[in-house]
Short mmCIF file of all heavy atoms in Angstrom, two decimals:
data_model
loop_
_atom_site.label_atom_id
_atom_site.label_comp_id
_atom_site.label_asym_id
_atom_site.label_seq_id
_atom_site.Cartn_x
_atom_site.Cartn_y
_atom_site.Cartn_z
N ASP A 1253 144.93 82.91 -156.96
CA ASP A 1253 145.62 82.98 -158.21
C ASP A 1253 147.10 82.55 -158.16
O ASP A 1253 147.63 82.18 -159.25
CB ASP A 1253 145.53 84.37 -158.76
CG ASP A 1253 144.05 84.82 -159.16
OD1 ASP A 1253 143.33 83.95 -159.58
OD2 ASP A 1253 143.69 85.98 -158.89
N THR A 1254 147.65 82.81 -157.06
CA THR A 1254 149.12 82.56 -156.97
C THR A 1254 149.47 81.74 -155.80
O THR A 1254 148.78 81.66 -154.79
CB THR A 1254 149.85 83.91 -156.94
OG1 THR A 1254 149.47 84.68 -155.76
CG2 THR A 1254 149.70 84.72 -158.23
N ARG A 1255 150.73 81.12 -155.83
CA ARG A 1255 151.29 80.43 -154.68
C ARG A 1255 152.76 80.59 -154.79
O ARG A 1255 153.43 80.25 -155.83
CB ARG A 1255 150.96 78.95 -154.72
CG ARG A 1255 151.68 78.02 -153.73
CD ARG A 1255 151.47 78.34 -152.32
NE ARG A 1255 149.97 78.12 -151.97
CZ ARG A 1255 149.58 78.22 -150.70
NH1 ARG A 1255 150.41 78.61 -149.81
NH2 ARG A 1255 148.24 78.03 -150.35
N ARG A 1256 153.49 81.17 -153.88
CA ARG A 1256 154.85 81.38 -153.82
C ARG A 1256 155.37 82.18 -155.08
O ARG A 1256 156.33 81.82 -155.65
CB ARG A 1256 155.72 80.11 -153.68
CG ARG A 1256 155.40 79.36 -152.41
CD ARG A 1256 156.08 77.91 -152.37
NE ARG A 1256 155.86 77.32 -151.09
CZ ARG A 1256 156.12 75.98 -150.91
NH1 ARG A 1256 156.51 75.24 -151.88
NH2 ARG A 1256 155.83 75.54 -149.70
N GLY A 1257 154.52 83.12 -155.54
CA GLY A 1257 154.97 83.98 -156.58
C GLY A 1257 154.72 83.44 -158.01
O GLY A 1257 155.08 83.97 -158.93
N ARG A 1258 154.10 82.19 -158.10
CA ARG A 1258 153.90 81.57 -159.46
C ARG A 1258 152.43 81.32 -159.39
O ARG A 1258 151.72 81.16 -158.39
CB ARG A 1258 154.73 80.35 -159.64
CG ARG A 1258 154.38 79.19 -158.65
CD ARG A 1258 155.33 77.98 -158.94
NE ARG A 1258 154.99 77.39 -160.30
CZ ARG A 1258 154.11 76.50 -160.54
NH1 ARG A 1258 153.35 76.11 -159.63
NH2 ARG A 1258 153.93 76.02 -161.76
N PRO A 1259 151.82 81.03 -160.66
CA PRO A 1259 150.39 80.74 -160.76
C PRO A 1259 150.06 79.43 -159.91
O PRO A 1259 150.81 78.43 -159.84
CB PRO A 1259 150.18 80.39 -162.19
CG PRO A 1259 151.28 81.22 -162.88
CD PRO A 1259 152.44 81.12 -162.00
N ALA A 1260 148.91 79.48 -159.18
CA ALA A 1260 148.42 78.24 -158.52
C ALA A 1260 148.27 77.26 -159.47
O ALA A 1260 147.93 77.59 -160.73
CB ALA A 1260 147.18 78.63 -157.71
N THR A 1261 148.22 75.97 -159.12
CA THR A 1261 148.08 74.81 -160.03
C THR A 1261 146.94 74.93 -160.92
O THR A 1261 147.04 74.74 -162.16
CB THR A 1261 148.11 73.51 -159.24
OG1 THR A 1261 149.48 73.35 -158.71
CG2 THR A 1261 147.87 72.27 -160.15
N HIS A 1262 145.77 75.13 -160.32
CA HIS A 1262 144.54 75.24 -161.21
C HIS A 1262 144.58 76.36 -162.18
O HIS A 1262 144.13 76.22 -163.43
CB HIS A 1262 143.30 75.26 -160.33
CG HIS A 1262 143.24 76.57 -159.51
ND1 HIS A 1262 143.93 76.75 -158.39
CD2 HIS A 1262 142.47 77.63 -159.57
CE1 HIS A 1262 143.71 77.82 -157.82
NE2 HIS A 1262 142.72 78.47 -158.59
N ARG A 1263 145.22 77.43 -161.85
CA ARG A 1263 145.49 78.53 -162.78
C ARG A 1263 146.42 78.30 -163.87
O ARG A 1263 146.31 78.63 -165.03
CB ARG A 1263 145.81 79.90 -162.06
CG ARG A 1263 144.94 80.38 -161.04
CD ARG A 1263 143.60 80.78 -161.68
NE ARG A 1263 142.70 81.43 -160.64
CZ ARG A 1263 141.42 81.40 -160.68
NH1 ARG A 1263 140.72 80.64 -161.63
NH2 ARG A 1263 140.59 82.04 -159.78
N ALA A 1264 147.42 77.53 -163.58
CA ALA A 1264 148.55 77.18 -164.54
C ALA A 1264 147.91 76.36 -165.66
O ALA A 1264 148.09 76.49 -166.80
CB ALA A 1264 149.66 76.42 -163.90
N PHE A 1265 147.09 75.30 -165.21
CA PHE A 1265 146.50 74.41 -166.17
C PHE A 1265 145.34 75.10 -166.96
O PHE A 1265 145.07 74.81 -168.14
CB PHE A 1265 145.94 73.13 -165.52
CG PHE A 1265 147.04 72.15 -165.20
CD1 PHE A 1265 147.59 71.89 -163.94
CD2 PHE A 1265 147.60 71.40 -166.25
CE1 PHE A 1265 148.57 71.04 -163.59
CE2 PHE A 1265 148.62 70.41 -166.01
CZ PHE A 1265 149.13 70.29 -164.75
N GLU A 1266 144.68 75.95 -166.32
CA GLU A 1266 143.53 76.80 -166.97
C GLU A 1266 144.27 77.62 -168.05
O GLU A 1266 143.72 77.70 -169.15
CB GLU A 1266 142.93 77.64 -165.88
CG GLU A 1266 141.84 78.63 -166.50
CD GLU A 1266 141.35 79.61 -165.41
OE1 GLU A 1266 141.31 79.19 -164.29
OE2 GLU A 1266 140.89 80.69 -165.79
N ARG A 1267 145.43 78.20 -167.74
CA ARG A 1267 146.11 79.06 -168.79
C ARG A 1267 146.57 78.18 -169.94
O ARG A 1267 146.40 78.67 -171.02
CB ARG A 1267 147.25 79.66 -168.07
CG ARG A 1267 148.05 80.70 -169.05
CD ARG A 1267 149.30 81.24 -168.24
NE ARG A 1267 148.81 82.01 -167.09
CZ ARG A 1267 149.68 82.61 -166.18
NH1 ARG A 1267 150.94 82.46 -166.36
NH2 ARG A 1267 149.18 83.31 -165.21
N GLU A 1268 147.05 76.99 -169.67
CA GLU A 1268 147.44 76.09 -170.83
C GLU A 1268 146.23 75.81 -171.77
O GLU A 1268 146.30 75.83 -172.94
CB GLU A 1268 148.05 74.81 -170.26
CG GLU A 1268 149.35 74.97 -169.70
CD GLU A 1268 150.02 73.65 -169.27
OE1 GLU A 1268 149.52 72.61 -169.89
OE2 GLU A 1268 150.89 73.64 -168.54
N HIS A 1269 145.06 75.50 -171.10
CA HIS A 1269 143.93 75.24 -171.91
C HIS A 1269 143.52 76.43 -172.77
O HIS A 1269 143.20 76.29 -173.96
CB HIS A 1269 142.70 74.96 -170.84
CG HIS A 1269 141.53 74.53 -171.52
ND1 HIS A 1269 140.65 75.29 -172.25
CD2 HIS A 1269 140.82 73.23 -171.48
CE1 HIS A 1269 139.59 74.65 -172.74
NE2 HIS A 1269 139.71 73.34 -172.21
N ARG A 1270 143.57 77.59 -172.15
CA ARG A 1270 143.14 78.80 -172.98
C ARG A 1270 144.14 79.11 -174.00
O ARG A 1270 143.73 79.33 -175.20
CB ARG A 1270 143.16 80.05 -172.02
CG ARG A 1270 141.99 80.10 -170.97
CD ARG A 1270 142.00 81.42 -170.29
NE ARG A 1270 141.11 81.39 -169.15
CZ ARG A 1270 139.83 81.45 -169.10
NH1 ARG A 1270 139.19 81.70 -170.34
NH2 ARG A 1270 139.06 81.46 -168.02
N SER A 1271 145.47 79.00 -173.83
CA SER A 1271 146.52 79.24 -174.80
C SER A 1271 146.38 78.32 -175.96
O SER A 1271 146.72 78.70 -177.09
CB SER A 1271 147.94 79.36 -174.18
OG SER A 1271 148.26 78.03 -173.70
N ASP A 1272 146.04 77.05 -175.66
CA ASP A 1272 146.01 76.11 -176.82
C ASP A 1272 144.54 76.09 -177.45
O ASP A 1272 144.40 75.25 -178.39
CB ASP A 1272 146.32 74.67 -176.25
CG ASP A 1272 147.79 74.59 -175.84
OD1 ASP A 1272 148.59 75.42 -176.38
OD2 ASP A 1272 148.16 73.72 -175.04
N ALA A 1273 143.57 76.87 -176.95
CA ALA A 1273 142.34 76.91 -177.54
C ALA A 1273 141.62 75.65 -177.52
O ALA A 1273 141.07 75.10 -178.55
CB ALA A 1273 142.28 77.58 -178.84
N TRP A 1274 141.64 74.85 -176.43
CA TRP A 1274 141.08 73.52 -176.35
C TRP A 1274 139.44 73.68 -176.19
O TRP A 1274 139.04 74.80 -175.89
CB TRP A 1274 141.65 72.71 -175.27
CG TRP A 1274 143.07 72.22 -175.49
CD1 TRP A 1274 143.82 72.26 -176.63
CD2 TRP A 1274 143.95 71.65 -174.52
NE1 TRP A 1274 144.97 71.79 -176.48
CE2 TRP A 1274 145.23 71.38 -175.22
CE3 TRP A 1274 143.82 71.45 -173.13
CZ2 TRP A 1274 146.22 70.90 -174.56
CZ3 TRP A 1274 144.96 70.79 -172.51
CH2 TRP A 1274 146.08 70.53 -173.28
N ARG A 1275 138.83 72.60 -176.34
CA ARG A 1275 137.41 72.57 -176.10
C ARG A 1275 137.05 72.59 -174.69
O ARG A 1275 137.90 72.22 -173.77
CB ARG A 1275 136.77 71.35 -176.74
CG ARG A 1275 136.95 71.27 -178.28
CD ARG A 1275 136.21 70.03 -178.87
NE ARG A 1275 136.31 70.06 -180.38
CZ ARG A 1275 135.76 69.16 -181.10
NH1 ARG A 1275 135.08 68.13 -180.50
NH2 ARG A 1275 135.92 69.15 -182.41
N GLY A 1276 135.83 72.96 -174.39
CA GLY A 1276 135.38 72.97 -172.93
C GLY A 1276 135.76 74.16 -172.18
O GLY A 1276 136.22 75.23 -172.72
N ASP A 1277 135.50 74.04 -170.89
CA ASP A 1277 135.67 75.17 -169.95
C ASP A 1277 137.10 75.15 -169.34
O ASP A 1277 137.44 74.19 -168.69
CB ASP A 1277 134.70 75.05 -168.88
CG ASP A 1277 134.72 76.17 -167.83
OD1 ASP A 1277 135.54 77.06 -167.96
OD2 ASP A 1277 133.79 76.23 -167.02
N PRO A 1278 137.91 76.27 -169.65
CA PRO A 1278 139.17 76.26 -169.13
C PRO A 1278 139.31 76.11 -167.60
O PRO A 1278 140.19 75.55 -167.07
CB PRO A 1278 139.81 77.60 -169.56
CG PRO A 1278 138.90 77.96 -170.69
CD PRO A 1278 137.58 77.39 -170.53
N GLU A 1279 138.39 76.82 -166.93
CA GLU A 1279 138.33 76.78 -165.45
C GLU A 1279 138.10 75.39 -164.92
O GLU A 1279 138.68 74.93 -164.00
CB GLU A 1279 137.32 77.80 -164.84
CG GLU A 1279 137.68 79.22 -165.05
CD GLU A 1279 136.81 80.19 -164.35
OE1 GLU A 1279 135.84 79.74 -163.60
OE2 GLU A 1279 137.01 81.45 -164.61
N GLN A 1280 137.18 74.65 -165.56
CA GLN A 1280 136.80 73.35 -165.06
C GLN A 1280 138.06 72.42 -165.37
O GLN A 1280 138.24 71.49 -164.53
CB GLN A 1280 135.64 72.81 -165.90
CG GLN A 1280 135.15 71.36 -165.55
CD GLN A 1280 134.70 71.20 -164.15
OE1 GLN A 1280 134.27 72.31 -163.50
NE2 GLN A 1280 134.91 70.13 -163.48
N TYR A 1281 138.69 72.70 -166.45
CA TYR A 1281 139.92 71.81 -166.72
C TYR A 1281 140.96 72.04 -165.71
O TYR A 1281 141.64 71.12 -165.17
CB TYR A 1281 140.45 72.19 -168.10
CG TYR A 1281 141.71 71.50 -168.48
CD1 TYR A 1281 141.67 70.13 -168.94
CD2 TYR A 1281 142.94 72.07 -168.37
CE1 TYR A 1281 142.89 69.42 -169.29
CE2 TYR A 1281 144.16 71.34 -168.71
CZ TYR A 1281 144.13 70.06 -169.16
OH TYR A 1281 145.22 69.43 -169.48
N GLY A 1282 141.22 73.37 -165.33
CA GLY A 1282 142.22 73.64 -164.41
C GLY A 1282 141.88 73.01 -162.97
O GLY A 1282 142.69 72.51 -162.28
N ALA A 1283 140.53 73.13 -162.67
CA ALA A 1283 140.14 72.48 -161.42
C ALA A 1283 140.30 70.94 -161.44
O ALA A 1283 140.76 70.41 -160.41
CB ALA A 1283 138.70 72.81 -161.10
N ALA A 1284 139.99 70.36 -162.57
CA ALA A 1284 140.15 68.89 -162.61
C ALA A 1284 141.59 68.50 -162.41
O ALA A 1284 141.96 67.57 -161.71
CB ALA A 1284 139.53 68.35 -163.91
N ALA A 1285 142.53 69.20 -163.09
CA ALA A 1285 143.93 68.94 -163.05
C ALA A 1285 144.48 69.11 -161.61
O ALA A 1285 145.25 68.31 -161.11
CB ALA A 1285 144.69 69.89 -163.94
N ALA A 1286 144.05 70.15 -160.90
CA ALA A 1286 144.42 70.37 -159.57
C ALA A 1286 143.94 69.35 -158.58
O ALA A 1286 144.65 68.96 -157.69
CB ALA A 1286 143.98 71.84 -159.09
N ILE A 1287 142.64 69.00 -158.77
CA ILE A 1287 142.22 67.86 -157.87
C ILE A 1287 143.02 66.61 -158.10
O ILE A 1287 143.53 65.92 -157.12
CB ILE A 1287 140.75 67.63 -158.19
CG1 ILE A 1287 139.87 68.68 -157.72
CG2 ILE A 1287 140.26 66.24 -157.58
CD1 ILE A 1287 138.40 68.67 -158.24
N LEU A 1288 143.30 66.24 -159.39
CA LEU A 1288 144.05 65.03 -159.64
C LEU A 1288 145.45 65.11 -159.16
O LEU A 1288 146.06 64.12 -158.56
CB LEU A 1288 144.01 64.75 -161.14
CG LEU A 1288 142.53 64.30 -161.57
CD1 LEU A 1288 142.55 64.39 -163.16
CD2 LEU A 1288 142.09 62.95 -161.10
N LEU A 1289 146.07 66.27 -159.32
CA LEU A 1289 147.52 66.30 -158.93
C LEU A 1289 147.56 66.32 -157.42
O LEU A 1289 148.39 65.71 -156.71
CB LEU A 1289 148.18 67.65 -159.43
CG LEU A 1289 149.57 67.91 -158.94
CD1 LEU A 1289 150.50 66.69 -159.45
CD2 LEU A 1289 150.16 69.15 -159.52
N GLY A 1290 146.66 66.94 -156.65
CA GLY A 1290 146.58 66.93 -155.22
C GLY A 1290 146.39 65.57 -154.73
O GLY A 1290 147.05 65.17 -153.72
#
Side-chain angles (χ1 to χ4, degrees):
D1253 293 326
T1254 60
R1255 168 67 65 178
R1256 293 174 180 165
R1258 63 179 298 274
T1261 293
H1262 61 287
R1263 296 300 188 209
F1265 281 104
E1266 176 186 334
R1267 181 179 299 176
E1268 287 186 19
H1269 186 289
R1270 291 186 192 280
S1271 66
D1272 292 338
W1274 289 349
R1275 295 182 179 183
D1277 183 352
E1279 291 188 7
Q1280 181 63 27
Y1281 178 78
I1287 290 169
L1288 293 168
L1289 180 58

